[in-house]
Amino acid sequence: MLAKVNSAAIVGLDAVPVEVEVDVASQGLPSFTIVGLPDKAVEESRERVRSAIKNSGADFPAKRITVNLAPADLPKEGPSYDLPIALGILLASEQLKADIEDAIFMGELSLDGRLRQTNGVLPQAILAKDKKLKRIFLPLVNAKEGAILTNIQIIPVLTLLSLFYHLNGQKQITPQRHINIKSYFKDDLFDLDMSDIKGQEQAKRALEIAAAGSHNILFKGPPGAGKTLLARTLPSILPRLTFEEALEVTKIYSISGLLDKESLVVKRPFRSPHHTTSHIGLIGGGTMPKPGEISLAHRGVLFLDEFAEFPRYVLEALRQPLEDGNVTISRSSGRINFPAKFMLVAAQNPCPCGYLGDNTRQCRCGPSQIIRYQKKISGPMLDRIDIHLDVPAVKIEKLTVDDSKTKRETSRDIRKRVQIARDLQTKRFRDKKITSNSEMGNKDIKEFCVLTKDCLELLRLAVTKMKLSARSYQRTIKLARTIADLEQSKNIKPTHVAEALQFRPKQEIS
């Protein structure tokens, strides 16, 4: 007898339908074959399914069993097909009779029939909703992940036996209650706060501007100046994720198996890979392409500490994602796009010893060492960074000041201003496919960044004196637009352009 069970495969960030066809032949020697381009994990499901069915009290048919995962030309990977394969065998062997055309099944089976946590549940649940299916059967531990969707029934399954009883009508499984999304979006507590940082007022201002417009930023300074601390404090002033953004980020973390107990990612991601990270680890890839660090930082922050220590070919791979907001990974099996709209925050020393230009310690590096070190970061890469800032060592007077007598702005105060600026941008770009000033293209700049004669004259002078490239010119205008938004100014003023120009790298000045 033939049975068909609905399931899904993950391709990139999205799920595509997979029909699990199970045929239990009445003739032929006993065998168990899976076809349809299964990977090793899918092939090994034969033993998991066999043991799970037996240990659940059902009979595993000693017949010729053929499982086809259609479409046959789509590679299948992962253990999420265990449950639909086991269910198909029970239906095809007539041990179970049920109408499951309106449902989708997913889950990895343990040998005793329990369902384990499975990656990629959210994209599959979204697919089921889009296909107008009424029910989703998934592991109990993944139930909350699917419960953020409405208008579809989420059935949390603990064991294969409980699913058998449910479909047989003997003992119904209580559907998972849908989660109120608003309860997730609340003020979060952070380990680091801007009020804890002594001195570095200009760096704090730069972070505020970067957070308001999602601009890239590079800190350069001696060891111990606070570059890493500033970067790690950035999440405390970032604006809230919108629901659409949260759903995008959650899908990425779902297929990567990085979701915590929470079913929805509501904090902007902060990724900080080590400088020994490989090209594939940063950009993504593999035989079956998976998201890299730049996609895991989507809608959040990618912090590259010791920027100059990263291999040059790894950094150069960032150039296209920084410009386009996505990365395309091509393999012989096909091409996959991953989103990569992130804020790049980088930190580096000015020279190998770290003390070039420092007033307290003398640099021990030779001129050739300094030139070689600074050339590790290419000009086109630096050109894609909006804010370049030298972070000097903190003066002893500011380190030893009495905190009880000094009132510094908290992250909450700064975050309020950042949120107002980001709300202005959301309103401005409501008919566009962009969400922040840094994503504006040439047409958007012409439409939303109208400059006065004074602003244009200032920019003309800057192009001549600072040797700005066309890209630097455009990025300066976008940065000025963000500074104006922080002041809630409708128009860009010369003061905004002047402040934006201060954040260009010093080596551009002739």
Side-chain angles (χ1 to χ4, degrees):
M1 184 178 175
L2 179 68
K4 296 182 179 181
V5 182
N6 295 320
S7 190
I10 304 297
V11 179
L13 285 188
D14 299 315
V16 295
V18 170
E19 190 173 57
V20 180
E21 300 175 318
V22 181
D23 178 62
V24 178
S26 57
Q27 296 179 342
L29 295 173
S31 64
F32 190 176
T33 307
I34 299 177
V35 297
L37 288 183
D39 72 346
K40 190 67 174 175
V42 180
E43 288 183 351
E44 290 176 348
S45 68
R46 292 177 299 182
E47 305 307 320
R48 292 192 297 271
V49 168
R50 190 194 307 272
S51 297
I53 289 177
K54 288 181 177 179
N55 292 326
S56 298
D59 294 326
F60 188 84
K63 297 180 180 181
R64 183 182 179 86
I65 301 172
T66 304
V67 177
N68 179 38
L69 306 177
D73 61 343
L74 179 69
K76 319 298 187 306
E77 65 169 346
S80 64
Y81 302 103
D82 289 3
L83 182 62
I85 289 173
L87 181 60
I89 291 173
L90 293 175
L91 291 167
S93 60
E94 299 184 332
Q95 298 181 66
L96 175 65
K97 292 183 179 179
D99 181 10
I100 57 170
E101 289 185 359
D102 64 344
I104 190 170
F105 297 82
M106 66 198 79
E108 175 187 350
L109 286 170
S110 62
L111 298 184
D112 61 358
R114 289 182 296 109
L115 267 75
R116 298 182 184 274
Q117 183 174 355
T118 303
N119 297 338
V121 164
L122 182 58
Q124 296 181 65
I126 293 173
L127 171 71
K129 184 177 178 180
D130 292 342
K131 294 295 182 181
K132 309 297 183 184
L133 299 178
K134 297 180 180 179
R135 297 176 292 169
I136 307 172
F137 290 84
L138 43 72
L140 177 63
V141 290
N142 291 108
K144 287 186 177 180
E145 188 178 338
I148 62 176
L149 301 177
T150 56
N151 301 322
I152 190 164
Q153 195 175 53
I154 309 297
I155 310 295
V157 182
L158 180 61
T159 64
L160 180 61
L161 183 60
S162 64
L163 175 62
F164 182 91
Y165 287 150
H166 175 85
L167 295 176
N168 213 18
Q170 293 177 262
K171 187 178 180 182
Q172 294 294 305
I173 300 174
T174 304
Q176 175 74 29
R177 292 180 59 184
H178 292 286
I179 295 172
N180 182 9
I181 301 300
K182 292 181 179 179
S183 64
Y184 278 81
F185 291 91
K186 53 189 177 183
D187 288 338
D188 296 307
L189 298 176
F190 297 91
D191 295 332
L192 299 172
D193 194 278
M194 282 291 180
S195 61
D196 298 329
I197 300 175
K198 297 182 179 181
Q200 307 297 11
E201 279 74 17
Q202 189 180 12
K204 292 179 186 177
R205 170 65 176 171
L207 281 179
E208 181 179 343
I209 296 170
S214 192
H215 297 285
N216 304 322
I217 184 169
L218 171 63
F219 289 131
K220 186 184 292 186
K227 304 183 296 296
T228 302
L229 178 62
L230 284 163
R232 293 191 179 280
T233 310
L234 176 60
S236 67
I237 65 170
L238 289 175
R240 297 185 303 271
L241 280 171
T242 64
F243 176 68
E244 291 74 17
E245 290 175 336
L247 208 58
E248 288 178 20
V249 177
T250 304
K251 283 173 66 176
I252 296 170
Y253 278 69
S254 176
I255 68 171
S256 302
L258 297 176
L259 275 184
D260 295 327
K261 294 181 180 179
E262 298 295 335
S263 57
L264 187 68
V265 177
V266 293
K267 282 186 179 181
R268 291 191 180 270
F270 183 89
R271 305 293 299 182
S272 180
H274 192 260
H275 62 261
T276 57
T277 299
S278 68
H279 175 276
I280 290 178
L282 192 66
I283 302 301
T287 306
M288 298 292 289
K290 295 292 184 184
E293 290 290 340
I294 63 171
S295 295
L296 293 171
H298 181 60
R299 299 298 182 187
V301 177
L302 178 68
F303 175 45
L304 301 183
D305 203 1
E306 305 298 340
F307 195 42
E309 300 300 333
F310 281 81
R312 181 159 181 156
Y313 77 96
V314 173
L315 292 182
E316 293 305 297
L318 288 174
R319 284 160 58 173
Q320 181 262 329
L322 280 172
E323 204 71 19
D324 299 339
N326 62 71
V327 59
T328 302
I329 299 171
S330 297
R331 295 291 182 267
S332 58
S333 58
R335 299 166 69 249
I336 292 177
N337 282 304
F338 289 122
K341 292 181 179 178
F342 59 90
M343 276 179 63
L344 173 64
V345 180
Q348 71 170 86
N349 297 326
C351 66
C353 77
Y355 295 107
L356 178 66
D358 188 28
N359 297 324
T360 59
R361 299 192 187 186
Q362 186 175 359
C363 175
R364 302 187 302 272
C365 305
S368 60
Q369 287 179 293
I370 295 172
I371 293 172
R372 197 181 307 116
Y373 184 81
Q374 292 181 347
K375 281 189 174 181
K376 287 184 176 181
I377 314 298
S378 68
M381 186 67 204
L382 292 172
D383 213 29
R384 286 167 167 80
I385 297 177
D386 306 319
I387 299 175
H388 297 252
L389 189 68
D390 289 333
V391 182
V394 183
K395 294 181 179 179
I396 189 65
E397 296 83 9
K398 293 187 177 180
L399 281 175
T400 56
V401 71
D402 188 355
D403 289 340
S404 61
K405 297 179 181 179
T406 305
K407 186 177 180 181
R408 287 186 287 268
E409 270 195 320
T410 64
S411 291
R412 184 185 293 270
D413 299 328
I414 299 173
R415 188 165 65 245
K416 286 179 181 177
R417 295 197 297 268
V418 169
Q419 188 65 56
I420 291 171
R422 193 61 74 91
D423 290 342
L424 286 172
Q425 293 165 49
T426 302
K427 185 178 179 181
R428 179 183 300 135
F429 304 129
R430 61 182 177 272
D431 297 327
K432 305 282 184 177
K433 293 183 179 181
I434 57 178
T435 58
S436 62
N437 288 334
S438 65
E439 299 174 40
M440 285 191 292
N442 291 339
K443 289 184 179 179
D444 301 316
I445 291 174
K446 290 179 181 178
E447 182 179 353
F448 301 114
C449 302
V450 180
L451 300 174
T452 63
K453 289 184 179 180
D454 291 339
C455 292
L456 286 170
E457 187 60 36
L458 184 58
L459 280 168
R460 286 195 192 99
L461 185 63
V463 169
T464 304
K465 295 291 184 182
M466 301 175 68
K467 298 182 176 62
L468 297 182
S469 67
R471 183 184 288 114
S472 296
Y473 177 83
Q474 301 282 19
R475 287 184 176 272
T476 300
I477 295 174
K478 290 191 279 188
L479 195 61
R481 177 69 268 175
T482 300
I483 295 170
D485 288 341
L486 281 169
E487 293 185 5
Q488 300 180 46
S489 172
K490 185 177 180 180
N491 300 316
I492 298 175
K493 300 176 183 177
T495 53
H496 304 146
V497 176
E499 185 175 4
L501 287 169
Q502 289 180 2
F503 293 117
R504 295 314 305 168
K506 287 185 173 61
Q507 54 263 38
E508 287 186 349
I509 302 174
S510 57

